[in-house]
Amino acid sequence: MLIAVLATALVVLLGGLVWLVLKARADYVPRDQATLCPLSGYTSQTLVLIDTTDAFAPVTQTQVLNKLRDVVTAIPKDGLLELQLLGADAARTRPAMPPLCNPGDGGDIDPITGNPELAKRRWQMQYAEKVEEALRSGVAGSTQDYSPIMEAIQQIAAEHLTSQHDRSIPSRLVVVSDMIQHTAGYSHYVDGLSSEAFAAKARNRLATDLAGAEVEFWMVRRPTQKVDAEQLGNFWLEWASNSNAKRPVTLSPLMGM
């Protein structure tokens, strides 16, 4: 009888150990050390474009920072964040930081089979702190001659909304700008806000496929803005819808510069 009880206990113990090992293996996600993304691929992407061709007023910086923190907080585990800064030359649009995936803060890790504290430290040092630093530096800008917003969005779409993988996952594009396109090829100041003017001058050159991405325009209004804000907003809503964005496209006015 004793032998049978001991044998049963041993079987239960071995079974528990096997379960712990299998669960630990199932919870382990191999990641790229530079991006923190799963080697199997990120599961969503959040793409942020901040227009730095004009400086934001301090109150605008505060508002944008708080809203962007909300965006970052909403990124799920294994989701990619790409933060781009728009300059006067679209070719110089640059990342505010290397692309990073949210590795998770350890809140979903079982302390029996994993180390949630270690995961939280990694999340804080390798992800959260780097993102916060990039956001703070990203809202600074300076007055420049041109604002190639469409070219920058076109480039982001080409890089992040083209591959089969990227088109199969949820994608969110946030554009923070006064939304006034101004280049030699097409300018809201010079050519106006009509869809006809855009079609005649730049539609073919700036054709963009947003591939069903969720699109948000955060429109910063300038005190001395020389274009009608309502017409400008309607122009971008129509442009995004015609560029295959997920509907409805969101346009949110922000405090002025």
Side-chain angles (χ1 to χ4, degrees):
M1 182 67 177
L2 179 60
I3 295 176
V5 171
L6 292 175
T8 301
L10 181 59
V11 169
V12 171
L13 177 61
L14 290 175
L17 290 174
V18 170
W19 178 83
L20 288 174
V21 170
L22 292 177
K23 188 175 187 303
R25 287 183 177 179
D27 291 342
Y28 173 71
V29 178
R31 296 182 181 277
D32 179 89
Q33 294 302 305
T35 65
L36 305 179
C37 293
L39 296 182
S40 58
Y42 44 85
T43 56
S44 69
Q45 53 182 344
T46 300
L47 314 168
V48 179
L49 174 65
I50 301 177
D51 185 350
T52 63
T53 59
D54 281 291
F56 293 139
V59 66
T60 308
Q61 291 187 23
T62 299
Q63 186 182 25
V64 170
L65 271 174
N66 287 333
K67 287 173 67 66
L68 286 175
R69 287 176 182 133
D70 288 341
V71 170
V72 172
T73 299
I75 296 175
K77 183 178 180 179
D78 299 334
L80 176 73
L81 172 63
E82 176 92 5
L83 181 60
Q84 294 280 341
L85 304 179
L86 172 66
D89 181 351
R92 289 188 291 144
T93 297
R94 66 194 189 282
M97 66 176 193
L100 286 175
C101 279
N102 177 9
D105 63 1
D108 60 341
I109 295 179
D110 188 335
I112 296 176
T113 59
N115 191 331
E117 286 301 319
L118 178 62
K120 186 173 184 178
R121 287 198 299 271
R122 179 183 62 183
W123 174 85
Q124 183 67 36
M125 297 176 63
Q126 299 183 30
Y127 177 75
E129 292 180 2
K130 290 183 178 181
V131 171
E132 177 65 19
E133 181 181 356
L135 292 180
R136 286 182 174 276
S137 64
V139 298
S142 60
T143 301
Q144 300 181 45
D145 293 333
Y146 294 105
S147 184
I149 303 168
M150 290 183 175
E151 288 85 348
I153 296 176
Q154 185 184 55
Q155 183 62 38
I156 290 173
E159 293 176 352
H160 290 280
L161 300 172
T162 302
S163 72
Q164 183 176 356
H165 171 260
D166 287 346
R167 295 171 79 97
S168 69
I169 61 176
S171 297
R172 181 183 186 184
L173 171 64
V174 177
V175 181
V176 185
S177 171
D178 62 9
M179 301 311 301
I180 300 176
Q181 168 79 15
H182 179 53
T183 65
Y186 178 68
S187 169
H188 285 146
Y189 292 126
V190 178
D191 303 303
L193 298 167
S194 71
S195 56
E196 292 79 13
F198 172 69
K201 291 207 67 174
R203 183 171 60 188
N204 291 337
R205 180 174 60 84
L206 295 176
T208 301
D209 182 7
L210 295 173
E214 178 184 347
V215 176
E216 302 173 31
F217 297 124
W218 298 0
M219 191 167 73
V220 179
R221 296 185 179 180
R222 300 185 194 178
T224 58
Q225 188 163 304
K226 298 178 181 179
V227 299
D228 183 88
E230 183 176 357
Q231 291 183 28
L232 180 64
N234 289 335
F235 173 91
W236 282 103
L237 292 175
E238 181 180 1
W239 179 86
S241 295
N242 290 340
S243 300
N244 196 25
K246 180 180 179 180
R247 300 186 184 187
V249 179
T250 302
L251 189 143
S252 303
L254 300 183
M255 297 177 186
M257 292 180 178

